[in-house]
Amino acid sequence: MERTFILIKPDGVQRGLAGQIISRFETKGFTLVGMKFMNVTKELAEKHYDVHREKSFFAGLIQFITSGPVVAMVWEGEGIVSSARKLIGATNPLSAEPGTIRGDYGVTVGRNLIHGSDAIETARTEIGLWFEEEELVSWQPTLTTWLYED
Ligand code: DAT
Ligand code: MG
């Protein structure tokens, strides 16, 4: 089953939106397989955002993501990588559709609440970066037959 890496950024935690954000993934029908509340080191933040190293916003992004605790998670479900990106919405919250997390809760790109892996391969890399294998819990929710056909 497909997995993705989801991070509630420091603004989401500070604004008390962690519960509501987690709820959206739960009610969609996705399965939580890993979760930790943590501070992010500069080293981890720089590895996570390595593709943006040359961008003008990189320093600010690292400063922001290390500025307070985050909720790091791994979620599982059919087609979850692309579906999670849809639930999250466009990078700029002002362009994000209402009904998406960024569209409903955010106003600026530098405070857009949440990260989600952008491709299956990226998800694999990010999960490996943030989680040890033994921190992930493989389980079968009893609801599964009501979410998926045989
Ligand atoms: P996404 O988080 O939607 O995958 P991204 O990978 O292009 O977006 O950028 C990573 C993060 O960097 C994004 O969530 C917020 C920040 N960011 C992106 N573009 C920015 C910009 N033009 N100014 C400030 N921050 C930006
Ligand atoms: Mg990205």
Side-chain angles (χ1 to χ4, degrees):
M1 190 65 97
E2 196 171 304
R3 289 179 172 180
T4 196
F5 174 70
I6 299 292
L7 183 76
I8 302 175
K9 297 179 180 181
D11 53 336
V13 171
Q14 295 287 350
R15 290 178 56 203
L17 293 171
Q20 290 181 60
I21 290 171
I22 290 165
S23 201
R24 292 189 178 215
F25 289 88
E26 282 185 320
T27 53
K28 173 71 176 166
F30 291 140
T31 304
L32 183 64
V33 300
M35 174 157 71
K36 51 189 175 184
F37 185 59
M38 59 187 282
N39 283 308
V40 186
T41 62
K42 189 160 180 275
E43 187 192 3
L44 175 57
E46 287 181 350
K47 276 190 193 150
H48 175 76
Y49 280 126
D50 190 56
V51 293
H52 298 302
R53 198 171 282 275
E54 305 305 325
K55 308 270 172 64
S56 58
F57 58 80
F58 184 73
L61 179 59
I62 298 307
Q63 165 68 32
F64 166 57
I65 219 74
T66 58
S67 66
V70 298
V71 182
M73 295 176 283
V74 176
W75 286 85
E76 188 176 83
E78 211 166 290
I80 193 170
V81 172
S82 114
S83 177
R85 294 281 292 187
K86 288 184 190 147
L87 291 178
I88 289 168
T91 304
N92 184 340
L94 289 184
S95 310
E97 294 295 329
T100 65
I101 294 164
R102 288 168 173 168
D104 285 351
Y105 301 132
V107 283
T108 78
V109 72
R111 299 286 185 272
N112 66 2
L113 299 146
I114 180 167
H115 165 86
S117 308
D118 63 8
I120 291 176
E121 195 47 47
T122 318
R124 212 169 282 137
T125 307
E126 292 178 350
I127 291 167
L129 184 62
W130 288 80
F131 285 87
E132 300 294 336
E133 188 54 43
E134 59 269 22
E135 292 176 311
L136 301 178
V137 181
S138 293
W139 62 296
Q140 174 95 279
T142 52
L143 268 175
T144 302
T145 53
W146 302 105
L147 288 162
Y148 295 98
E149 298 157 63
D150 295 329

